[in-house]
Amino acid sequence: MSSPQSFKRVNRESTAGLITRQLREAIMYGRLRPGAQLSEAILAAEFGVSRGPLREATQRLVQEGLVRAEPNRGLFVKELDEHEIRDLYAARIAIETAAGRTIIRKGQQQAVAELRTAYEAMQRAAEEGALAQLSDADLRFHEVLVGGAGSARLQRMHQTLMVETRMCLTALQGTYRDPEDQVAEHQRIAEAIAAGDSESLVEAIEEHMQEALDRLVPGSRSAGTATTV
Amino acid sequence: MSSPQSFKRVNRESTAGLITRQLREAIMYGRLRPGAQLSEAILAAEFGVSRGPLREATQRLVQEGLVRAEPNRGLFVKELDEHEIRDLYAARIAIETAAGRTIIRKGQQQAVAELRTAYEAMQRAAEEGALAQLSDADLRFHEVLVGGAGSARLQRMHQTLMVETRMCLTALQGTYRDPEDQVAEHQRIAEAIAAGDSESLVEAIEEHMQEALDRLVPGSRSAGTATTV
DNA sequence: GATCCATGGATTGTTGACAATCCATTCTAG
DNA sequence: CTAGAATGGATTGTCAACAATCCATGGATC
């Protein structure tokens, strides 16, 4: 009865959980387009389950804010208009700034190290011209940033925001951006934290987010910083 | 066909929504004790609905983090141990600090005014010795603080945290605290924002939270600031 | 020709019954 | 007396059918 290697508990995830994850991914990567209607009957048939578990899955997505439910009408993939995108990035600024400040305040050396690692992964991807990997490493950097603060609640809230961020990136798919700039912005953030400089951390994050916003919402506020191609 | 006064849309909330709200309130105010098991069958009978809608309601609470679901075992009201409480307050520090900084950065005069109003309500309740009202005004102050930042996402995340906070307060029910101190701490926060002083804002919020933590988790870190009765 | 009403199709909302799983208890064998 | 297996009760997990609701289409009336 000894376990020579640790086995994974089988089927530990609930059916609703499995479906939720697949649907979320489909929304994140644009396979389910914003505004598209989700038919319970059709989806249930596709997943090969009854409407019960499927309903549970969709309800989770509703509460995550990825799906909008109109009573007696149906479920629709949420569309992110300009206002929503601004709100999303405002929330990300709040969370990520707070996370960075926490790392500084607590002097979490390990978090700093992990940030550097994440940053180096971005740099490598940029040098190799691997855009998909660069994008993944980018998201990972922000996950590490918030994870480093060590608050499970903060991290969970941030995860939801990052799913929406990925939705935005998917919508931007195809537009080009100079990888060097992208990497440099993250280096600023990482180094500000490493140096324990809260002021430049705030600046770095706000500018980083503004940069993203400028690309997502072209008719934005300041034309001065819009240096993107 | 004219509407002499605006009528409320009837039955606009779903059954699951109604049940969710009632269960959440019961948990918040301790009518459902932490650790208590929630039986779907019993609850469904009490609400007079089938297990379908009830399940939907409980699932929402699970995702909010108020209820823990053990597969094939049952649902249990989440218990907040010391670690959880610390995490909760860390998250609140992050969100509320970020909200305050946003108000300062954007120079939201209206938010400042609302904060003062909320603060005055606390002061009035304290003078009248109305402890229940003081507690409500206290929570309201924090809601106004985050609401003032104008981010729907931030506010939603904060609401969840405040529900858990209320759970903690319910657990503390009966312990006394000097209302004057309580009011003064909020005044510090409000005035720091009004003065646009980010540094003292951060200090005020952190000390305010630490004060609350000291009462919730007696064997806490610093004995120096523990001046509570 | 425009407006109102009735009808039909489609969707979600709800239900009660059935299956699978788990835990505690009891029983049995050593 | 103890360790292990069988069993029973209770709970969640799942399903297919039914009811309620909504929107669009088409037709009748003025």
Side-chain angles (χ1 to χ4, degrees), chain A residues 34-61:
Chain A
Q37 181 166 13
L38 303 179
S39 162
E40 290 185 1
I42 295 175
L43 284 178
E46 285 183 7
F47 281 108
V49 296
S50 149
R51 274 179 53 216
L54 183 120
R55 223 178 131 76
E56 204 170 302
T58 56
Q59 288 297 330
R60 291 193 198 181
L61 295 177

Side-chain angles (χ1 to χ4, degrees), chain A residues 55-56 59-60 63-64 84 87 94-95 98 101 105 151-154 156-157 161 164 202 206, chain B residues 55-56 59-60 63-64 84 87 94-95 98 101 105 151-154 156-157 161 164 202 206:
Chain A
R55 223 178 131 76
E56 204 170 302
Q59 288 297 330
R60 291 193 198 181
Q63 198 161 17
E64 276 184 37
E84 289 275 319
D87 189 80
I95 300 275
R101 293 175 64 91
R105 181 162 49 94
S151 165
R153 281 169 179 73
L154 214 58
R156 242 190 60 159
M157 298 186 290
L161 299 179
E164 291 183 286
V202 172
E206 281 180 5
Chain B
R55 221 178 132 77
E56 204 169 302
Q59 288 297 330
R60 290 193 197 181
Q63 197 160 18
E64 277 183 36
E84 289 276 319
D87 190 79
I95 300 273
R101 293 175 64 91
R105 181 163 49 94
S151 165
R153 279 168 181 73
L154 215 56
R156 243 190 56 158
M157 298 186 290
L161 299 180
E164 291 183 287
V202 171
E206 282 179 5

Side-chain angles (χ1 to χ4, degrees), chain A:
Chain A
M1 289 300 176
S2 67
S3 64
Q5 57 198 32
S6 68
F7 291 115
K8 280 180 219 160
R9 191 87 166 240
V10 293
N11 201 21
R12 203 44 183 160
E13 199 166 9
S14 70
T15 308
L18 286 165
I19 298 175
T20 304
R21 216 149 37 89
Q22 291 196 53
L23 284 178
R24 179 166 37 219
E25 207 160 306
I27 294 175
M28 272 170 65
Y29 293 100
R31 238 173 46 234
L32 287 173
R33 290 284 171 76
Q37 181 166 13
L38 303 179
S39 162
E40 290 185 1
I42 295 175
L43 284 178
E46 285 183 7
F47 281 108
V49 296
S50 149
R51 274 179 53 216
L54 183 120
R55 223 178 131 76
E56 204 170 302
T58 56
Q59 288 297 330
R60 291 193 198 181
L61 295 177
V62 168
Q63 198 161 17
E64 276 184 37
L66 263 62
V67 167
R68 173 175 43 92
E70 292 188 17
N72 290 316
R73 288 295 317 282
L75 302 162
F76 303 87
V77 180
K78 198 156 188 186
E79 302 175 82
L80 291 176
D81 59 10
E82 176 179 329
H83 188 267
E84 289 275 319
I85 294 178
R86 286 191 187 288
D87 189 80
L88 167 61
Y89 276 84
R92 277 191 59 194
I93 288 178
I95 300 275
E96 298 192 21
T97 301
R101 293 175 64 91
T102 302
I103 294 175
I104 291 176
R105 181 162 49 94
K106 292 192 185 169
Q108 313 260 51
Q109 286 311 311
Q110 194 186 344
V112 174
E114 284 175 14
L115 274 175
R116 283 228 172 85
T117 306
Y119 156 69
E120 282 159 12
M122 285 188 69
Q123 203 168 27
R124 240 175 297 129
E127 283 169 5
E128 294 169 7
L131 292 183
Q133 281 181 35
L134 176 58
S135 182
D136 286 345
D138 187 330
L139 293 180
R140 169 132 187 80
F141 179 92
H142 292 277
E143 279 174 20
V144 168
L145 170 58
V146 176
S151 165
R153 281 169 179 73
L154 214 58
Q155 194 160 17
R156 242 190 60 159
M157 298 186 290
H158 186 250
Q159 272 169 6
T160 304
L161 299 179
M162 290 313 278
V163 171
E164 291 183 286
T165 302
R166 168 59 89 179
M167 274 182 74
C168 290
L169 295 186
T170 301
L172 269 187
Q173 208 170 38
T175 65
Y176 179 75
R177 161 152 211 234
D178 185 358
E180 291 302 323
D181 288 350
Q182 192 175 348
V183 173
E185 285 176 18
H186 291 81
Q187 186 183 26
R188 264 188 77 189
I189 295 173
E191 290 311 318
I193 292 175
D197 186 344
S198 297
E199 283 308 311
S200 42
L201 167 69
V202 172
E203 271 179 35
I205 289 181
E206 281 180 5
E207 280 186 27
H208 178 54
M209 297 294 177
Q210 188 61 46
E211 187 75 20
L213 265 180
D214 285 340
R215 283 161 61 236
L216 286 165
V217 189
S220 193
R221 74 176 57 163
S222 61
T225 56
T227 53
T228 325
V229 182

Side-chain angles (χ1 to χ4, degrees), chain B residues 85-94 165 168-169 209 212-213 216:
Chain B
I85 293 177
R86 285 191 187 288
D87 190 79
L88 167 62
Y89 276 84
R92 276 191 60 193
I93 288 179
T165 301
C168 290
L169 294 186
M209 297 293 177
L213 264 180
L216 288 165

Side-chain angles (χ1 to χ4, degrees), chain B residues 71-137:
Chain B
N72 291 317
R73 289 294 319 281
L75 302 162
F76 303 87
V77 179
K78 197 157 191 187
E79 302 175 83
L80 292 176
D81 60 10
E82 176 179 332
H83 188 267
E84 289 276 319
I85 293 177
R86 285 191 187 288
D87 190 79
L88 167 62
Y89 276 84
R92 276 191 60 193
I93 288 179
I95 300 273
E96 298 191 22
T97 302
R101 293 175 64 91
T102 302
I103 293 175
I104 291 176
R105 181 163 49 94
K106 291 192 184 170
Q108 312 261 50
Q109 285 312 311
Q110 195 186 341
V112 174
E114 285 175 14
L115 273 176
R116 284 228 172 86
T117 304
Y119 157 69
E120 283 159 12
M122 285 187 69
Q123 204 168 27
R124 239 174 298 131
E127 284 168 6
E128 295 170 8
L131 292 182
Q133 280 181 37
L134 176 58
S135 182
D136 286 345

Side-chain angles (χ1 to χ4, degrees), chain B residues 12-87:
Chain B
R12 203 43 181 163
E13 200 164 11
S14 71
T15 307
L18 286 165
I19 297 175
T20 305
R21 216 148 37 88
Q22 291 196 52
L23 284 178
R24 179 165 36 218
E25 207 159 306
I27 294 174
M28 273 169 63
Y29 292 100
R31 238 175 46 234
L32 287 174
R33 289 283 171 76
Q37 180 166 14
L38 303 179
S39 162
E40 291 185 359
I42 295 175
L43 284 178
E46 284 183 8
F47 281 108
V49 297
S50 152
R51 272 181 54 217
L54 183 118
R55 221 178 132 77
E56 204 169 302
T58 55
Q59 288 297 330
R60 290 193 197 181
L61 295 177
V62 168
Q63 197 160 18
E64 277 183 36
L66 263 62
V67 168
R68 172 174 46 91
E70 292 187 17
N72 291 317
R73 289 294 319 281
L75 302 162
F76 303 87
V77 179
K78 197 157 191 187
E79 302 175 83
L80 292 176
D81 60 10
E82 176 179 332
H83 188 267
E84 289 276 319
I85 293 177
R86 285 191 187 288
D87 190 79

